[in-house]
Amino acid sequence: MGADFGYRGKRLGLPEEGPGAVASFGRRLGAVFIDWSICMVIAYGLLARGDQQAAGNWALGVFLLMSALTVGTIGCTPGKRLLGLRVVSEEGGRLGFGRVLVRTVLLLLVIPALVWDRDGRGLHDRLGRAVQVRM
């Protein structure tokens, strides 16, 4: 009924399956859940001193710092690493720190992550010129 655009990642020159293929939504969501859980534990235990309301605010800062440092250096957060994902530039190399920071700030705003293109990339990845792939 609709136009056939091929598999996710075809326009980017990525394989259809296996290492280097575009990561599935389920894995990406699982990785964000793991990362957010880690940030909440750090914020609640170390920064908020037991205050649940403050922990949520501190967790945003911890997430920003953790994501910017880990994606900017090794290409993946702890959650992505556990689920076999990494973030690369559209050209296939490592993301620069500025692009990582743009991507992370947009991810914290949530809405850009909910707007996808036909390759399954969120708006935060498109504006950061990044793609999440399987390891």
Side-chain angles (χ1 to χ4, degrees), residues 57-125:
N57 294 331
W58 280 107
L60 288 171
V62 172
F63 187 88
L64 176 71
L65 185 64
M66 180 183 74
S67 184
L69 291 176
T70 58
V71 172
T73 56
I74 61 172
C76 58
T77 62
K80 288 183 187 353
R81 182 70 171 192
L82 285 171
L83 296 181
L85 305 177
R86 65 187 166 117
V87 180
V88 297
S89 72
E90 291 175 338
E91 298 82 34
R94 223 177 69 196
L95 283 179
F97 185 71
R99 287 167 56 183
V100 169
L101 197 56
V102 165
R103 184 187 174 279
T104 303
V105 168
L106 288 171
L107 182 59
L108 288 174
L109 295 175
V110 179
I111 299 300
L114 298 176
V115 178
W116 303 319
D117 65 5
R118 65 180 177 204
D119 290 317
R121 295 186 309 158
L123 187 57
H124 66 295
D125 280 333

Side-chain angles (χ1 to χ4, degrees), residues 21-71:
V22 173
S24 69
F25 175 73
R27 279 189 181 198
R28 293 188 320 226
L29 186 63
V32 168
F33 179 78
I34 292 168
D35 292 336
W36 185 251
S37 298
I38 291 169
C39 292
M40 283 299 291
V41 167
I42 291 170
Y44 185 77
L46 297 177
L47 302 170
R49 298 192 173 128
D51 182 3
Q52 290 181 356
Q53 286 183 327
N57 294 331
W58 280 107
L60 288 171
V62 172
F63 187 88
L64 176 71
L65 185 64
M66 180 183 74
S67 184
L69 291 176
T70 58
V71 172

